[in-house]
Amino acid sequence: MSNQRVIVYTSNNCSNCEKVVSKLSEWEIEFEERNISSNREYFKELQKKKVYGTPATFIDEEQILGYQENKLKRTLRVPYEERFLDTDAMHYS
């Protein structure tokens, strides 16, 4: 779906990390997950970028910190779902 390079830095016991990974999978976005709890080198990479928390998502050169679903969608160009519109409620008798 996307030609962008997506890297997600995660850590153990991080519910927002799980949300990011789950959404990317749901949207069928290819990504690389780098768990800083299990790999010290990933932790050092993240520190070099002056980021000290997870989740940290890098889409090409753009970084998205935390779980920001709308920003992820916008950056990855994931289509927004149309909102339910009750047309019957719009007609007045």
Side-chain angles (χ1 to χ4, degrees), residues 58-71:
F58 291 84
I59 302 166
D60 292 330
E61 296 303 315
E62 183 164 349
Q63 69 180 23
I64 300 173
L65 304 179
Y67 176 68
Q68 299 184 57
E69 183 175 340
N70 288 336
K71 191 169 183 179

Side-chain angles (χ1 to χ4, degrees), residues 47-60:
Q47 284 184 319
K48 284 181 186 174
K49 298 175 187 287
K50 302 206 184 305
V51 176
Y52 301 96
T54 58
T57 306
F58 291 84
I59 302 166
D60 292 330

Side-chain angles (χ1 to χ4, degrees), residues 38-51:
S38 28
N39 187 323
R40 184 117 178 103
E41 289 306 310
Y42 292 154
F43 180 69
K44 290 177 184 177
E45 283 176 20
L46 200 54
Q47 284 184 319
K48 284 181 186 174
K49 298 175 187 287
K50 302 206 184 305
V51 176

Side-chain angles (χ1 to χ4, degrees), residues 2-57:
S2 172
N3 291 348
Q4 298 162 301
R5 183 166 186 212
V6 180
I7 299 172
V8 183
Y9 289 89
T10 62
S11 56
N12 295 341
N13 302 317
C14 170
S15 61
N16 282 333
C17 298
E18 292 169 14
K19 288 178 187 177
V20 169
V21 167
S22 175
K23 281 296 176 186
L24 293 175
S25 297
E26 178 184 321
W27 298 331
E28 299 178 355
I29 302 292
E30 289 186 30
F31 65 95
E32 179 183 347
E33 182 177 356
R34 297 183 180 180
N35 187 307
I36 67 169
S37 299
S38 28
N39 187 323
R40 184 117 178 103
E41 289 306 310
Y42 292 154
F43 180 69
K44 290 177 184 177
E45 283 176 20
L46 200 54
Q47 284 184 319
K48 284 181 186 174
K49 298 175 187 287
K50 302 206 184 305
V51 176
Y52 301 96
T54 58
T57 306

